[in-house]
């Protein structure tokens, strides 16, 4: 788990050492007589490994509420926060007013990785086995960074060697066809797998997070599934978009496929199967430890309508806690589900914690930001306890009764939509009248009072920026035993953010199978559902009203909720208008007034923010200067 710290330290040192060689930054006017040179970065094994760590430093966490990934239909944020997520969702991301500029960062790390490969040939004090393995890791990173550009910006330039600063602009590469870039990435990953990546990294905990064959195969499967998806498989909304000057070998000036290819799904399915086999063979599997809560002295959570003193109620509550641990456990703590993770800190936990959690010894309240607020779309698309959508479960409440009180004594604010739901709902969603966490409030759960302006409710005089937007809150980023004491001390431990986890692999395979009309997709969906305590699907559940692909996509929405996938999924499915257009995002009437009545609060309303959708948002714009300085480049369509 020391990898991220090492990356940060080495990245800082390496950036200063390389400044005069690969960039034009000026830290000091007076330069010391002896400066570190490029050769110093590979003078011994430790320096060379540090150089390699610096190449990992561009790996991004997909779970930050401040970035584009948070701009979808999963959750709202207070409008005054004004993060990139808002501006992307409002369609304000333009070449002249770039909100989320990843292009330069990713290509900077591509260049740094090429520089590492160049210098690795002459590195001193390392074995040939190290040289081979570290070269394979660099190839993996080149594939990763190119894919991150590809899925964010669409067809992109391939940088297959280090580009010196004095390279003439006319020699820069333009965008290559999406399929050509995909093939280049896949070839690079396969080369890395063949040429030295280890299968696992279990000997030294400091190596956790570095590339393995399992990670590379999992990434390859994702790359090919994206290429098979509608956006890049015949349904791109700007089919005539193409290069003006630059040509891709075999494709000419074209950038996107204009016709559907079933073979892309066949190839992606095979890659998914290979990735799952590799993961299982090397010890990865879904996290299933239902007793971890007992090891940490976490009490079973309150669940409305569930009696946890009965065997059935206890089993259900254990599933709830199990699902809270899935993304909040380290591999060293027994979690083998995370195939690749990033041990990065972020503020998602504090953005999720409600206001006025606990009055401290000094008399002040401790408050979180209370801002990650699930939309009603989320609330209505987690399943009932029967494994069905609420609107399709004939045993569930009628829709006109969803926002009425469930009539629970001492918890009258709990509404019917929060009753009889599946374990993941209670694991990750919090609601008025229910409990937030199990130990947060000095070892006790926090009972939410989201209508009370003196507690967790809307009150601009107390909390101008920070408040719940939709009437629901998020618990997915909260470690199950998180505990704040009255003396303002925490037991907070930042957990790795899953970049790829086992559940995604099964869902990727299920999507490929569904696209090919293969009912085996049910088996892979049921692996996920069974672990979560949700009844299995059968062929009888598939109909025109809820197709196999509908089940796959909704299962993906639930299981991977808040993990950064939805942003890319909606786009690759070409379903932006369906989910992200103006007027689509709804919540309860949580921002209307201070201390509203039950009836005033529990109304369905459009979240009053200027959300918008245009088809140009399927890929991001490139900063205008990148296009201006490179005569081979074309701007993303619609910008």
């Amino acid at each position: 788990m020391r990898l991220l710290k090492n990356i940060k330290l080495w990245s800082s040192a390496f950036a200063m050492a390389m400044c005069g060689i690969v960039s034009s930054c000026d830290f000091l006017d007076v330069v010391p007589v002896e400066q570190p040179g490029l050769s110093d970065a590979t003078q011994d094994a430790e320096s060379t490994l540090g150089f390699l760590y610096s190449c990992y430093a561009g790996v991004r966490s997909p779970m930050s509420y401040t970035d584009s990934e948070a701009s979808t239909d999963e959750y709202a944020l207070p409008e005054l926060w004004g993060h990139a997520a808002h501006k992307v969702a409002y369609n304000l991301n333009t070449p002249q007013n770039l909100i989320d500029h990843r292009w330069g960062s990713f290509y900077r790390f591509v260049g740094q990785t090429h520089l590492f490969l160049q210098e690795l040939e002459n590195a001193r004090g390392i074995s040939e086995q190290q040289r081979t393995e570290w070269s394979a890791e660099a190839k993996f990173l080149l594939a990763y960074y190119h894919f991150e550009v590809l899925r964010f910006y669409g067809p992109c330039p391939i940088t297959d060697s280090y580009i010196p600063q004095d390279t003439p602009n006319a020699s820069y590469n333009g965008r290559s066809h999406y399929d050509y870039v995909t093939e280049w990435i896949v070839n690079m990953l396969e080369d890395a797998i063949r040429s030295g990546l280890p299968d696992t990294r279990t000997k030294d905990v400091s190596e956790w997070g570095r590339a393995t064959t399992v990670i590379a195969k999992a990434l390859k499967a994702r790359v090919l599934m994206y290429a098979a998806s509608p956006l890049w498989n015949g349904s791109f909304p700007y089919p005539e978009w193409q290069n003006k000057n630059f040509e891709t070998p075999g494709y000419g000036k074209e950038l996107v496929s204009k016709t559907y290819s079933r073979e892309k799904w066949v190839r992606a399915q095979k890659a998914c199967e290979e990735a799952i086999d590799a993961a299982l063979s090397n010890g990865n599997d879904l996290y299933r430890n239902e007793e971890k809560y007992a090891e940490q002295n976490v009490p079973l959570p309150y669940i409305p309508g569930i009696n946890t003193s009965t065997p059935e109620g206890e089993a259900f509550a254990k599933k709830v806690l199990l699902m809270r641990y899935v993304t909040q456990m380290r591999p060293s703590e027994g979690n083998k589900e995370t195939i690749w993770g990033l041990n990065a800190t972020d503020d998602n936990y504090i953005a999720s914690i409600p206001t006025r959690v606990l009055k401290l010894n000094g008399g002040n309240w401790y408050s979180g930001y209370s801002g990650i607020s699930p939309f009603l779309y989320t609330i209505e698309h987690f399943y009932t306890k029967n494994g069905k959508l609420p609107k399709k479960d004939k045993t569930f409440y009628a829709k006109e009764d969803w926002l009425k009180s469930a009539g629970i004594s001492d918890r009258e604010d709990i509404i019917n939509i929060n009753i009889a739901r599946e374990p993941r709902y209670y694991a990750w969603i919090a609601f008025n009248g229910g409990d937030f966490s199990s130990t947060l409030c000095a070892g006790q759960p926090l009972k939410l009072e989201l209508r009370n302006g003196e507690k967790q409710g809307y009150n601009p005089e107390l909390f101008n920026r920070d408040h719940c937007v939709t009437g629901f809150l998020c618990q997915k980023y909260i470690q199950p035993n998180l505990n704040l004491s009255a003396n303002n001390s925490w037991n907070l431990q930042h957990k790795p953010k899953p970049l790829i986890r086992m559940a995604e692999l099964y869902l990727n395979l299920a999507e490929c199978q569904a696209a090919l009309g293969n009912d085996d997709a049910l088996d892979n969906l049921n692996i996920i559902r069974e672990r979560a305590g949700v009844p299995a699907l059968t062929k009888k559940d598939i109909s025109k009203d809820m197709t196999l692909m509908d089940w796959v996509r909704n299962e993906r929405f639930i299981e991977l909720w808040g993990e950064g996938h939805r942003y890319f999924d909606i786009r690759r499915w070409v379903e932006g208008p369906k989910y992200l257009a103006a007027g689509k995002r709804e919540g309860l009437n949580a921002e209307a007034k201070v201390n509203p009545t039950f009836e005033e609060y529990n109304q369905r309303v459009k979240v009053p923010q200027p959300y918008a959708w245009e088809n140009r948002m399927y890929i991001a714009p490139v900063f205008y200067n990148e296009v201006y300085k490179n005569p081979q480049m074309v701007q993303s369509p619609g910008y």
Side-chain angles (χ1 to χ4, degrees):
M1 301 310 297
R2 296 192 299 271
L3 177 60
L4 182 75
K5 179 186 284 187
N6 290 342
I7 285 174
K8 288 182 176 178
L9 290 173
W10 279 104
S11 294
S12 177
F14 181 77
M16 293 185 70
M18 296 300 104
C19 186
I21 298 170
V22 298
S23 75
S24 59
C25 54
D26 295 309
F27 288 107
L28 296 171
D29 291 330
V30 179
V31 180
V33 174
E34 294 187 7
Q35 301 180 69
L38 189 54
S39 60
D40 293 306
T42 55
Q43 64 182 339
D44 53 34
E46 183 180 6
S47 299
T48 305
L49 183 59
F51 195 166
L52 174 61
Y53 279 178
S54 76
C55 296
Y56 276 95
V59 176
R60 289 178 58 89
S61 170
M63 299 177 70
S64 174
Y65 69 91
T66 64
D67 293 333
S68 296
E69 284 84 345
S71 66
T72 66
D73 58 347
E74 292 177 307
Y75 54 81
L77 300 167
E79 188 170 13
L80 289 179
W81 286 7
H83 293 303
H86 291 88
K87 296 171 184 177
V88 170
Y90 301 165
N91 190 23
L92 299 178
N93 195 21
T94 68
Q96 295 75 25
N97 184 31
L98 210 57
I99 306 303
D100 195 338
H101 184 37
R102 305 184 186 188
W103 183 281
S105 175
F106 286 136
Y107 278 117
R108 178 166 63 87
F109 282 103
V110 166
Q112 185 159 318
T113 305
H114 276 304
L115 198 59
F116 170 79
L117 281 171
Q118 177 180 299
E119 295 304 310
L120 181 63
E121 296 180 10
N122 300 314
R124 289 158 283 175
I126 66 173
S127 67
E128 286 307 307
Q129 190 275 333
Q130 288 174 316
R131 197 185 312 274
T132 299
E133 180 181 326
W134 296 352
S135 173
E137 286 184 70
K139 292 172 184 176
F140 167 84
L141 287 171
L142 289 174
Y144 163 77
Y145 289 127
H146 275 86
F147 177 63
E148 286 298 307
V149 177
L150 183 67
R151 71 171 180 160
F152 198 70
Y153 295 96
C156 63
I158 293 173
T159 302
D160 54 9
S161 62
Y162 179 69
I163 301 176
Q165 278 194 309
D166 59 359
T167 300
N169 290 358
S171 298
Y172 291 162
N173 288 334
R175 295 181 188 255
S176 288
H177 192 284
Y178 189 98
D179 293 347
Y180 188 86
V181 182
T182 295
E183 199 65 30
W184 186 90
I185 292 169
V186 168
N187 289 338
M188 189 64 69
L189 288 170
E190 290 176 344
D191 190 5
I193 292 167
R194 287 191 305 267
S195 62
L197 285 182
D199 292 333
T200 59
R201 292 189 182 275
T202 58
K203 295 180 181 179
D204 185 347
V205 70
S206 69
E207 291 189 346
W208 188 86
R210 288 169 58 186
T212 64
T213 60
V214 176
I215 294 172
K217 289 179 180 181
L219 182 59
K220 173 186 169 182
R222 183 191 286 181
V223 169
L224 289 172
M225 186 188 70
Y226 271 61
S229 299
L231 186 64
W232 306 114
N233 197 4
S235 297
F236 191 73
Y238 300 90
E240 302 308 316
W241 178 54
Q242 62 179 21
N243 281 321
K244 296 178 181 178
N245 301 317
F246 190 76
E247 295 191 7
T248 307
Y251 294 91
K253 294 179 180 178
E254 290 191 358
L255 290 171
V256 298
S257 297
K258 298 180 182 180
T259 57
Y260 170 78
S261 170
R262 187 176 188 274
E263 183 57 32
K264 289 183 177 180
W265 284 113
V266 173
R267 188 182 183 195
Q269 177 178 319
K270 182 181 179 182
C272 290
E273 292 168 343
E274 291 174 352
I276 291 173
D277 289 344
L280 293 173
S281 297
N282 286 284
N284 294 103
D285 204 352
L286 295 179
Y287 182 72
R288 298 180 185 274
N289 183 359
E290 296 186 13
E291 302 300 326
K292 189 66 182 180
Y293 79 97
E295 297 175 27
Q296 295 189 339
N297 296 315
V298 174
L300 293 175
Y302 168 75
I303 305 166
I306 298 292
N307 182 355
T308 57
S309 65
T310 67
E312 296 80 7
E314 181 184 22
F316 189 94
K318 285 184 175 182
K319 286 289 189 183
V320 171
L321 285 174
L322 167 68
M323 296 312 297
R324 287 185 184 173
Y325 277 107
V326 163
T327 61
Q328 294 296 319
M329 288 286 291
R330 296 184 173 94
S332 61
E333 296 171 314
N335 183 1
K336 302 303 182 184
E337 175 155 350
T338 301
I339 292 170
W340 190 27
L342 184 66
N343 192 29
T345 60
D346 61 44
D347 291 330
N348 279 11
Y349 80 95
I350 194 67
S352 301
I353 292 175
T355 54
R356 294 207 159 182
V357 172
L358 182 67
K359 183 169 283 190
L360 304 176
N361 289 335
N364 295 322
W365 283 91
Y366 175 84
S367 292
Y369 299 165
S370 193
I372 296 182
S373 309
F375 289 114
L376 275 173
Y377 183 89
T378 286
I379 303 307
E380 295 167 0
H381 283 78
F382 275 69
Y383 297 128
T384 67
K385 67 178 182 180
N386 298 321
K388 301 179 184 297
L389 294 177
K391 66 181 179 181
K392 297 182 182 296
D393 189 339
K394 295 180 180 179
T395 69
F396 197 64
Y397 300 93
K399 187 172 182 177
E400 57 268 24
D401 295 329
W402 286 357
L403 305 187
K404 294 180 181 178
S405 175
I408 300 174
S409 177
D410 194 39
R411 292 182 183 261
E412 289 80 4
D413 272 320
I414 295 179
I415 55 179
N416 288 327
I417 193 68
N418 298 317
I419 305 297
R421 305 303 298 273
E422 60 148 306
R424 288 175 294 190
Y425 185 83
Y426 299 113
W428 299 334
I429 306 299
F431 43 83
N432 196 20
D435 285 353
F436 190 96
S437 187
S438 296
T439 59
L440 175 64
C441 193
Q444 300 295 318
L446 173 67
K447 181 179 176 182
L448 290 175
E449 298 182 50
L450 292 173
R451 289 194 297 112
N452 185 343
E454 297 298 316
K455 291 292 184 68
Q456 293 82 47
Y458 177 70
N459 189 336
E461 291 188 4
L462 290 177
F463 305 101
N464 183 38
R465 290 168 48 87
D466 303 333
H467 62 271
C468 178
V469 176
T470 66
F472 300 91
L473 290 172
C474 163
Q475 301 190 76
K476 190 164 188 177
Y477 307 119
I478 306 299
Q479 69 186 60
N481 67 336
L482 187 63
N483 188 326
L484 169 69
S485 70
N487 64 3
N488 199 23
S489 64
W490 291 87
N491 65 337
L492 177 67
Q493 293 179 311
H494 290 287
K495 304 296 183 177
K497 309 304 177 290
L499 299 170
I500 302 174
R501 62 183 177 97
M502 199 71 193
E504 183 203 338
L505 298 193
Y506 286 115
L507 290 167
N508 290 351
L509 177 55
E511 184 172 340
C512 293
Q513 292 169 328
L516 294 169
N518 184 347
D519 289 346
D520 288 346
L522 289 174
D523 295 334
N524 290 297
L525 291 183
N526 286 334
I527 290 172
I528 303 300
R529 292 167 70 96
E530 178 275 327
R531 190 271 297 272
V534 179
L537 285 173
T538 68
K539 290 184 179 180
K540 293 181 180 179
D541 294 310
I542 302 172
S543 65
K544 292 182 180 179
D545 191 42
M546 191 79 172
T547 67
L548 180 57
M549 185 61 82
D550 290 335
W551 283 109
V552 169
R553 290 181 177 181
N554 200 75
E555 194 69 43
R556 188 177 181 90
F557 174 77
I558 297 171
E559 179 68 25
L560 302 179
W561 189 90
E563 295 181 35
H565 291 272
R566 185 70 171 172
Y567 175 82
F568 297 104
D569 285 347
I570 289 177
R571 286 154 176 76
R572 67 185 178 85
W573 294 334
V574 199
E575 294 203 323
K578 179 178 179 180
Y579 298 109
L580 304 180
K584 293 288 186 179
R585 297 165 172 92
E586 298 178 318
L588 300 181
N589 198 25
E591 297 178 296
K593 60 184 293 188
V594 179
N595 300 324
T597 65
F598 178 92
E599 291 74 19
E600 289 172 330
Y601 188 86
N602 289 291
Q603 298 179 43
R604 177 187 297 271
V605 298
K606 308 292 184 185
V607 174
Q609 295 185 28
Y611 300 115
W613 174 265
E614 290 184 30
N615 282 345
R616 68 180 188 171
M617 296 165 69
Y618 281 119
I619 57 177
V622 178
F623 186 47
Y624 75 95
N625 195 46
E626 295 287 347
V627 178
Y628 173 77
K629 73 182 182 182
N630 182 357
Q632 312 288 353
M633 270 293 295
V634 291
Q635 185 56 266
S636 301
Y639 293 96

